Amino acid sequence: MTGRLAFVESPVQLLNVLEWAHARGRGPAPAAAPAPAPPAGADRAPGPDAVRASAPVPDSGTGPGTGSAPASGPGTASGPGTAFAPASGPGTPPAASAPEPGQGRGAVPAASDDLAIVVLSPSDPMSRGQLRRMAQLARDEGFDVHWQEARAGRGALVRTLRELGGPLRAAERVIVGDPFSRYVQLLLTLFGPRHVTVVDDGTATMEFAAQLAGGERLVRWHRKGDLGPRELLLAPVTSLARRRLAPGPHRTVEIFTSLPVQAPPATEVTENAYAWTRSRFGPPALTGGADLVGTSLVETGVVDAEHYLRVVGQLARTHGATRYFAHRRETPEKLHRIAVETGLQVVRPELPLELIARRGPVGATIVSFPSTVVHTLPLALAGTGVKVAVCEIAPEWLKATASPRAQGFLAGVVGTASGADRLTPRGGSAADRLEFG
């Protein structure tokens, strides 16, 4: 067999690499553990100061098969009633034991008969914490995971390229989660693999496939189309990377996705049904209320913050929600306002939401804004009785500076979410009333 090398920069990318390996028959999944019972008071709305954090949890030294309590300190909570406090048992991810920043795991694993995973570590603490726990899950599944401090100050880029050059040249297949990543594009520019697999890192996969099919340059959907100085400087890298992400006489391309994509001819599209997640965790215990799923649309400059906060409050009241699962890129200031102004318990998940929901306890209804989870949660929670609903984004919620493509892209995310119910803004003001469409 030929060697396979995966590059991941987010927890969701790593989860979907595990799903890809499982779909390819990479080893049996361990037996799932019974779902933990709902914590005391899970159906009751907490007070306005209840900003909870279930992760990221720093390395605790606990061994495989044990849980770890949420970290103590400002903005976190411990003790009874903390949302999603891990329970012991074979179905629970162990505490993270990934190396501390800068330590790594020795030499980068050479591409071999099996899959080697390289984490190109991001800078933000939430992503790093979730990635450490996901890295430990991957190790528990028998994969070799190397933690690469790709953004650790001056010299990190050169050091990373030097350490990854050998494994990249030896790899027959390279798996990437973010084809828009400048790091990934640079690696593909220097080393062109014979086989490429792109796994989901959110709804951007839909935009990537459409741009690839149309021969367009790779631009994230929420960015404006004009080229700034940095984009002009990197344009040759992006152009070559796009060619190496396209199928050709000497290259095959696979898109492994749970999303509806319009792939170019000769591209293999493989469905991600979240079979590993369903076989590894759950089914979850259900609470009587609803859970809301947050989004970073405010942080990316797409949605106006005041509109967003008002709609979150109304969704909480309408659906009896008690918890708000924060996106890892949401700012502490915004989350504090949500907790104070809506009374929702804000939870920073320690793992991708598909795993958190599958482990449970989880609300009988999950309400989300347009995002990947309106496609993935119905798959991960199939057969559990949980209803997933997606709230459409009204045009008046968008900021004046939002990308012209934003409304159409978000509408497409909603319109193609076949496993989710739709919440449509109705009435004189889009923020006044939200009903099932």
Side-chain angles (χ1 to χ4, degrees), residues 5 68 75 134 146 198 202 217 234 239 250 287 307 342 361 367 416:
L5 189 62
S68 60
M134 282 304 304
H146 173 77
V198 176
R217 63 187 181 91
L234 294 172
S239 178
H250 305 292
T287 68
H307 273 301
T342 70
V367 179
T416 55

Side-chain angles (χ1 to χ4, degrees), residues 263-400:
T267 300
E268 178 186 0
V269 178
T270 306
E271 181 186 5
N272 178 6
Y274 282 84
W276 177 80
T277 296
R278 287 185 282 108
S279 64
R280 183 70 166 83
F281 303 104
L286 304 186
T287 68
D291 292 324
L292 300 185
V293 178
T295 176
S296 59
L297 289 174
V298 172
E299 284 74 11
T300 53
V302 175
V303 171
D304 176 77
E306 297 305 319
H307 273 301
Y308 183 82
L309 289 165
R310 185 160 59 251
V311 173
V312 166
Q314 199 218 339
L315 287 172
R317 293 188 299 272
T318 301
H319 298 282
T322 59
R323 295 180 297 191
Y324 178 95
F325 288 98
H327 188 280
R328 55 194 171 87
R329 293 196 184 97
E330 290 188 84
T331 64
E333 294 78 15
K334 175 178 139 190
L335 295 177
H336 178 73
R337 284 193 62 186
I338 288 173
V340 171
E341 296 176 19
T342 70
L344 286 165
Q345 177 183 342
V346 175
V347 180
R348 284 190 175 273
E350 60 189 7
L351 291 167
L353 193 59
E354 294 81 4
L355 301 185
I356 291 291
R358 185 71 194 181
R359 287 168 59 196
V362 68
T365 299
I366 298 177
V367 179
S368 174
F369 293 94
S371 73
T372 316
V373 299
V374 302
H375 291 269
T376 61
L377 284 180
L379 297 172
L381 295 170
T384 64
V386 176
K387 180 169 65 176
V388 179
V390 54
C391 177
E392 294 181 333
I393 301 295
E396 54 264 42
W397 302 353
L398 300 181
K399 295 184 70 172

Side-chain angles (χ1 to χ4, degrees), residues 34-206:
D43 291 332
R44 296 194 301 271
D49 60 344
V51 179
R52 306 283 186 176
S54 61
V57 181
D59 299 342
S60 62
T62 52
T66 62
S68 60
S72 300
T76 65
S78 58
T82 299
F84 292 103
S88 299
T92 302
S97 59
E100 289 293 331
Q103 290 183 343
R105 281 174 58 90
V108 178
S112 64
D113 286 351
D114 216 334
L115 171 65
I117 301 172
V118 177
V119 177
L120 300 173
S121 178
S123 302
D124 67 285
M126 275 301 300
S127 296
R128 291 170 67 90
Q130 288 188 4
L131 266 169
R132 286 196 184 98
R133 295 188 67 86
M134 282 304 304
Q136 187 58 45
L137 268 178
R139 293 186 183 108
D140 290 344
E141 296 293 306
F143 294 103
D144 196 350
V145 182
H146 173 77
W147 187 279
Q148 183 76 32
E149 286 295 347
R151 297 169 173 83
R154 297 180 61 184
L157 174 60
V158 174
R159 181 172 62 253
T160 298
L161 295 177
R162 182 174 62 247
E163 293 182 9
L164 297 181
L168 261 171
R169 281 188 292 268
E172 280 287 304
R173 180 175 297 275
V174 170
I175 301 102
V176 300
D178 183 5
F180 296 99
S181 164
R182 299 303 189 194
Y183 235 115
V184 167
Q185 291 179 0
L186 181 57
L187 290 171
L188 291 176
T189 300
L190 299 177
F191 309 97
R194 291 181 56 190
H195 307 285
V196 176
T197 293
V198 176
V199 301
D200 283 336
D201 184 39
T203 50
T205 307
M206 299 166 65

Side-chain angles (χ1 to χ4, degrees), residues 230-254:
R230 184 171 182 268
E231 285 71 24
L232 286 172
L233 180 65
L234 294 172
V237 172
T238 301
S239 178
L240 180 55
R242 193 201 65 79
R243 292 197 296 271
R244 289 188 168 173
L245 286 165
H250 305 292
R251 180 174 300 105
T252 68
V253 175
E254 174 192 23

